[in-house]
Amino acid sequence: MANERSTRRHKALRAEFRQQCENRRAACHLCSQPIDYTLPKDHPDAFENDHFYPFSTHPELVDDPANFRPSHKSCNSSRGNAEVTPTLGPPSEAW
């Protein structure tokens, strides 16, 4: 089936995206905090490829790199398939 997350194509796209994120030190798109790319994949703060539009609701976008976002494993898990809630991010200074 073409929309599976376990296909060879999806794994290659996911690995390429992870490398791009690591190269530019991309932060988690959900909490805006840095991601430690050296952590093992089962660690809560490790990198995990998040689908902006969840696979469960948009299976046609599973292999679309434009739908990929860097996240912490724990942030991605806590979001589930809920919509991403935009935030202002961290303040530029303490008020």
Side-chain angles (χ1 to χ4, degrees):
M1 191 180 254
N3 289 334
E4 293 285 331
R5 289 182 283 187
S6 61
T7 65
R8 186 177 299 167
R9 179 173 190 268
H10 184 75
K11 288 178 182 179
L13 288 168
R14 190 174 59 211
E16 182 179 339
F17 179 71
R18 185 194 187 288
Q19 189 61 56
Q20 291 170 357
C21 291
E22 185 174 355
N23 290 346
R24 69 176 201 268
R25 293 182 222 151
C28 176
H29 84 107
L30 296 168
C31 73
S32 302
Q33 296 302 306
I35 297 172
D36 183 347
Y37 290 90
T38 64
L39 293 172
K41 66 182 180 179
D42 60 340
H43 192 283
D45 292 331
F47 168 85
E48 191 165 86
N49 181 26
D50 184 23
H51 288 83
F52 187 80
Y53 296 104
F55 172 72
S56 62
T57 59
H58 295 78
E60 72 279 6
L61 298 177
V62 69
D63 287 337
D64 185 352
N67 192 39
F68 296 172
R69 300 292 187 279
S71 70
H72 293 111
K73 180 177 181 63
S74 60
C75 292
N76 191 16
S77 295
S78 65
R79 174 174 95 101
N81 68 350
E83 288 187 29
V84 174
T85 306
T87 61
L88 295 175
S92 59
E93 60 184 82
W95 294 92

